[in-house]
Amino acid sequence: MTIKAVRGVHDILPAEAGKWQRVESTARHVFEAYGYEEIRLPLFERTELFARGIGEATDIVQKEMYTFEDRGLESITLRPEATAGLLRAYIEHGLFVLPKPIRLYTMGSMFRYERPQAGRYRQFHQLDVEALGDDRASIDAEVIAMLVELFRRLDLAGRLQVEINSLGDEDPACRPRHRSELVRYLRANADRLCEECRERTERNPLRVLDCKKPECRPVLERAPALDAFLCAACSEHFAKTRDYLEAMGVRYVVSPRLVRGLDYYVRTTFELTTTELGAQNAVAGGGRYDGLIKLLGGPPDPGIGFAVGIERVVQLLPDEGPGAWQKRRPGIFLVPLGDEALKRLLPVATTLRARDLVVEIGHGQKKLRAELERANKLGVAYAVIVGDAELGRGEAIVREMKSGTQRTVPLADLVAELLVPGGRA
Ligand code: HAM
């Protein structure tokens, strides 16, 4: 029996790789224009980092982590997101001594044991951005504006909506006051809520607001909304964030029920959503996490960031036909007929490739007709044919594939001939 890929993971085949390259290179471009520097992080960390960072009560930590004991009997987890690991590196390497805000980005695979469905995978990929050490609302607005700019450059901004909310903070006058009101209300209406909501009421009440089940909606729609409970400082921060967004012409809607699935958020949270991807409607999500760096043992630095789900972006991008990988397809096909000719042409291929040409070479076994058919399939501009006769005369035949016209070139001049403009693809 053949071995197939594990459920919930997927291959990115060459035909799709062009879109991935486009997303990643556009992201680098945009992030670097805003002063972000790349950081590359391990794929696994100590389990405790995520338990503490993302929150013991979250779905991610409770049921979605790939956790195992390594051979040193240490509990290890494949990263379900990048923020916790990035902050671990920030603290471990003392990056906080740099001038603030410290702007970092990273990209790569994340792992969550979720029920696979369209747009939801067990190994997926994120672009992740974090701005550390600055709590001003203008940073929140700038981070959101940069996210929108990324999608503008990908020609997708018009198909996405920016949703923002403020989750307040842990000041007793703020979110905790809302939490106790919310729990009281949810308990009072428990008989009209699903089992998961009843359980979340005790474990992670804010997340109850996120339940999409129709039977829960009537209760949840009348639940106490967080915005009425924000303390003065959080209200002001949110108002300022919106002001700056407006100053930058970023369109958004305020979604009071946007609560996010990770525990570390305070104040500004946001998502970029679409109606085109069914249930998995968030292309990106993020927010502020001012207490998290301290919680992980670092200085009391604030932070804000977001992650983009690359699979979901790629799904929105139109098929553009040949991707970058195909645009750089071979321009020259060297066809040695026999081993002596192969030995003569192999170094020619090396020289041309060193000059950045894409060169394909036949390895000498095939007949001329079969090789020319392959040259046609590859779509090369030129085929260079060297058989025993040509070798004996110190020559090569350069065939222009489109017209079929051929000319003879001294082997000694072959490289120069193929490099000159007009002499190659
Ligand atoms: P998140 O909302 O959990 O946030 O994930 C961000 C994005 O990753 C989602 O909007 C979605 O596009 C994509 N995503 C999440 N899970 C999956 C999956 N199973 N399959 C495919 N795509 C998925 C975070 O991860 C936070 N660390 C973001 C952040 C950074 N907040 C502050 N800084």
Side-chain angles (χ1 to χ4, degrees), residues 81 83 112 114 119 121 126 130 260 264-265 282-283 305-306 309:
E81 57 114 47
T83 311
R112 294 185 195 175
E114 293 195 82
Y121 304 95
Q126 286 184 344
E130 313 292 348
R260 311 273 305 127
Y264 48 62
Y265 292 112
V283 172
F306 63 77

Side-chain angles (χ1 to χ4, degrees), residues 219-237:
V219 174
L220 301 183
E221 261 145 38
R222 279 193 296 279
L226 183 58
D227 52 352
F229 289 80
L230 292 184
C231 67
C234 287
S235 284
E236 191 194 333
H237 186 92

Side-chain angles (χ1 to χ4, degrees), residues 45-67 75-81 83-85 88 204 261-264 292 295-296:
E45 300 272 359
R46 286 173 216 273
T47 302
E48 192 198 344
L49 175 73
F50 301 117
R52 227 203 289 175
I54 298 171
E56 293 279 6
T58 58
D59 284 351
I60 296 180
V61 172
Q62 293 257 320
K63 50 189 185 197
E64 294 173 2
M65 296 205 302
Y66 280 93
T67 297
S75 182
I76 298 293
T77 294
L78 300 185
R79 63 180 184 188
E81 57 114 47
T83 311
R88 195 258 321 128
N204 200 356
L262 304 93
D263 270 1
Y264 48 62
L292 182 58
L295 182 76
L296 295 176

Side-chain angles (χ1 to χ4, degrees), residues 8 10 54 60 64 80-84 110-131 260-262 264-265 270-272 277 280-289 292 303-313:
H10 63 111
I54 298 171
I60 296 180
E64 294 173 2
E81 57 114 47
T83 311
M110 310 293 153
F111 307 85
R112 294 185 195 175
Y113 192 81
E114 293 195 82
R115 201 165 49 76
Q117 61 184 74
R120 192 160 75 190
Y121 304 95
R122 289 181 175 171
Q123 177 177 356
F124 60 99
H125 300 78
Q126 286 184 344
L127 309 167
D128 186 276
V129 163
E130 313 292 348
R260 311 273 305 127
L262 304 93
Y264 48 62
Y265 292 112
F270 52 95
E271 279 185 352
L272 210 56
L277 295 178
Q280 305 310 313
N281 67 344
V283 172
R288 190 165 266 293
Y289 44 82
L292 182 58
I304 180 168
F306 63 77
V308 176
I310 304 184
E311 279 79 1
R312 298 187 189 172
V313 181

